[in-house]
Amino acid sequence: MPALSRQLLQSQLSAPLPEAPELVLVTDLDGTLLGGATAERRSFYRWLAEQRKRVLHVFCTGRDLASIARVLEEDEPIGLAAPHLVIGDVGCTVACGQSLLPVPLAVEPIDARWQGMEQRLLPMLEGQPGLAAQPLHSERRLAYYVDPEQFDHSLIPQLEAHGVDCLLSDNRYLDLLPAGVNKGSTLLALLAWLEVDPQLVVTAGDTLNDLAMFETGLNGVVVANAEAALLEQLPRLSSVYLASAEGCAGIAEGLRHFGFDHLWD
């Protein structure tokens, strides 16, 4: 059955995946893959492009697909190429990295969990102080900018009682996700379909919406510019490395820490 799932997954993509990747690199975008000095980013993007047949690259981000498309267009001049796969909407969307078309195998179960949620949740959120809707194009989550000083935090358990998880990150974002769906859960499902050896996987991030990735037990890199609330979680995350460098340089530092130096040869 796993082989069938991998074959089905590949059939729903517009571009092939590496046959036998030596590394599966799973990167958040803002503050992580898009973080650091321009020269460091340019160098890391060049390395990613050169290793495309050896490194299976996955974006794992809170951005929606339209926003990811803008990032790829804006950063193309410094060498950022499309990944092989995308996990977007904080885990609620999986898409082909080349076409940015959703992958039905991965998305349909999440759709089923989200059915009817907006009708239940929107009346509770309307007019709440400290909340402003983010301009997203997503069918499987609700996302808001939040002012933590004005927001009534007692609303969170009321919302979660309706079958969602509420995720506050970077002290300014609130995401409402189908219960049990996050970057980590979607990543693990994707890796199972791909039949990937977990030892070949490295995740990288910088905010609390990346915490679920780090809680999977997979090797992870927290870049130096991470938010304080994520850094507080590090003592219990034994498989996660805290880089001394920011953004792309921090990712590269973490990869060397986990023994992937040979990919720079």
Side-chain angles (χ1 to χ4, degrees), residues 128-142:
Q128 287 290 336
L131 287 184
Q134 293 184 41
L136 293 178
H137 302 280
S138 177
E139 300 174 357
R140 289 167 290 278
R141 69 156 168 159
L142 294 173

Side-chain angles (χ1 to χ4, degrees), residues 195-208:
E195 301 177 90
V196 169
D197 179 353
Q199 294 303 311
L200 297 180
V201 182
V202 177
T203 65
D206 71 309
T207 72
L208 276 182

